[in-house]
Amino acid sequence: MTKLQVAVDLLTTADALALTNKVAPYVDIIELGTPLIKSAGLSAISAIKAAHPDKEVFADLKTADAGFLEADLAFSAGADLVTVLGAAGDATIKGAVEAGQKHGKKVVADLIGVENRVERAREIAKLGVAFVEIHAGLDEQAQPGYSIQTLLDDGKIAGVPFSVAGGVKVDTIKAVRDAGADVAVAGGAIYSAADPAAAAKALKDALTK
Ligand SMILES: O=C(CO)[C@H](O)[C@H](O)COP(=O)(O)O
């Protein structure tokens, strides 16, 4: 079953809690987006975990260096999953994985900006991460001609556990599931919707029906 992850790309803990209180019934994983953690700090992770102890809390650190140290900070704050950049060195990824082992939690490698996603996904899968995130970031999505299909193709070909992030919407989420993704990540499709709860429910329904 493909899990639904909401990416909370807001800037304050109060706004994040207001959103997650609406959408939590429909999602499996709550992601604190990189801008939220940079803006509100690690305390945002603790606040979201305290409000939603039954959900997996995902801290999108996008760590580029000091893998053990940064992941350890986020796990200590209450995160269940943290991200490290797939573009980072193997030592950084291994450091984050060691922090995950210390806490009994998981590390995800975000392939944002990686040119050969398939090759790097296969390399990283051997380093002990839970899965790789096949990801086109907000800037890449804004480029003319962007299509999520390239992410799905790479995920299928890589043959390792993966999530997909990159503008997943209600009309594309079934394709994410059918590509074999373990997790479908939706940010703007939920937090920018007029009715975020209805949007999250529609995404969950599309995944499960
Ligand atoms: O990590 C991110 C940007 O770097 C976003 O959280 C991720 O891309 C999901 O958001 P959206 O569905 O709006 O693309």
Side-chain angles (χ1 to χ4, degrees), residues 112-132:
I112 189 168
V114 168
E115 202 166 332
N116 190 332
R117 287 188 286 248
V118 171
E119 185 184 7
R120 189 67 180 136
R122 289 175 178 163
E123 289 169 0
I124 290 168
K126 297 179 190 144
L127 301 180
V129 300
F131 55 89
V132 298

Side-chain angles (χ1 to χ4, degrees), residues 89-171:
D90 288 0
T92 301
I93 297 171
K94 284 184 195 166
V97 168
E98 279 172 33
Q101 287 163 348
K102 173 183 161 190
H103 290 270
K105 305 288 184 184
K106 298 179 204 161
V107 172
V108 177
D110 184 341
L111 293 175
I112 189 168
V114 168
E115 202 166 332
N116 190 332
R117 287 188 286 248
V118 171
E119 185 184 7
R120 189 67 180 136
R122 289 175 178 163
E123 289 169 0
I124 290 168
K126 297 179 190 144
L127 301 180
V129 300
F131 55 89
V132 298
E133 180 173 325
I134 313 270
H135 185 195
L138 305 176
D139 295 339
E140 186 177 341
Q141 292 174 45
Q143 298 302 309
Y146 168 71
S147 163
I148 198 170
Q149 190 59 47
T150 57
L151 307 183
L152 307 187
D153 293 343
D154 284 353
K156 273 192 270 195
I157 294 165
V160 301
F162 69 100
S163 65
V164 170
V168 171
K169 297 191 173 28
V170 74
D171 58 348

Side-chain angles (χ1 to χ4, degrees), residues 13-73:
T13 302
D15 284 350
L17 285 167
L19 178 74
T20 58
N21 286 336
K22 290 179 192 157
V23 306
Y26 311 108
V27 305
D28 305 291
I29 303 173
I30 297 174
E31 171 188 336
L32 290 95
T34 318
L36 174 59
I37 296 171
K38 286 187 175 174
S39 171
L42 294 169
S43 63
I45 300 172
S46 310
I48 293 284
K49 188 64 187 176
H52 304 285
D54 55 325
K55 301 292 171 187
E56 290 185 275
V57 170
F58 181 113
D60 191 16
L61 296 182
K62 293 190 177 75
T63 289
D65 190 18
F68 183 91
L69 175 63
E70 290 203 2
D72 190 48
L73 287 170

Side-chain angles (χ1 to χ4, degrees), residues 1-15:
M1 171 87 73
T2 304
K3 291 182 180 177
L4 178 60
Q5 174 171 327
V6 58
V8 182
D9 285 320
L10 304 174
L11 295 181
T12 68
T13 302
D15 284 350

Side-chain angles (χ1 to χ4, degrees), residues 68-85:
F68 183 91
L69 175 63
E70 290 203 2
D72 190 48
L73 287 170
F75 288 132
S76 297
D80 300 297
L81 302 113
V82 305
T83 59
V84 60
L85 287 177

